[in-house]
Amino acid sequence: MTRILFSLAALCLFTATTVTADDASKGLCAGDNISMFLVTKVAGAEDDGVETGATTCYRCKYGQRPMVMVFTRSTDGEVANFVKKLDSTVAKHSDDQLKGLVTLIGGESSQLTDQAKEIAGKVDAKHVPIVVAKDTDNGPASYKLDDKTAVTVVLVNHSQVVARHDFSADNIDEAAVMNQVGEMLN
């Protein structure tokens, strides 16, 4: 009997490890913990205590608070409109301590900084910082962001992923994201 139980326990451990490894290749999924990552602030959120040009970890700064993290390789299409909507949503839900962050990835640091300044000029974000990831090629390695996806939106609460959305720059489903933000806060 002991051998059977030991064998079943070993099989469960092996299976769980296999499933986790398969899921990890898909990137962040609901229920996953998020890790820290460094960024350089370019613009936005002037009152957040982080100076423009400073390197910080906003994920760490925001702690357990609910947040919407946007990783974008593009500032074209609907990206600016989405950032405007996110900024107003963060302001509207300040009592819920909702935070937001727009991180540019997918290029050279100087090029991404120029793009961040460009989008900042379009959206005038008062509540959401616009930053460039230190891991400029593909963002934080542990997030396993798809290098073919233009915009990835990750909703987080209590340091765990609530939902992840992948969009093209021209087809961001703002309503779906904002509905999930509302659900996350209730």
Side-chain angles (χ1 to χ4, degrees), residues 14-139:
F14 177 75
T15 303
T17 303
T18 304
V19 171
T20 303
D22 289 345
D23 288 346
S25 67
K26 297 177 186 175
L28 291 174
C29 296
D32 288 349
N33 291 321
I34 58 167
S35 60
M36 61 89 57
F37 63 98
L38 294 175
V39 297
T40 301
K41 183 175 179 180
V42 176
E46 293 174 8
D47 297 334
D48 70 356
V50 178
E51 296 292 323
T52 299
T55 298
T56 193
C57 172
Y58 273 100
R59 181 270 174 260
C60 303
K61 181 177 177 57
Y62 293 162
Q64 299 288 316
R65 293 179 190 94
M67 64 183 99
V68 180
M69 297 189 302
V70 179
F71 297 93
T72 185
R73 296 172 191 288
S74 174
T75 56
D76 298 330
E78 293 297 314
V79 174
N81 290 335
F82 183 74
V83 173
K84 283 181 187 178
K85 180 64 175 178
L86 176 60
D87 193 61
S88 67
T89 300
V90 168
K92 178 181 171 184
H93 291 285
S94 62
D95 289 346
D96 297 314
Q97 297 186 6
L98 179 65
K99 301 295 181 186
L101 173 68
V102 177
T103 305
L104 278 80
I105 59 173
E108 296 295 322
S109 182
S110 61
Q111 172 195 19
L112 294 174
T113 299
D114 290 345
Q115 289 177 332
K117 288 176 182 176
E118 179 184 326
I119 196 166
K122 292 178 185 176
V123 301
D124 191 31
K126 302 278 189 223
H127 308 281
V128 175
I130 300 172
V131 302
V132 172
K134 284 296 181 183
D135 298 328
T136 58
D137 286 340
N138 203 36

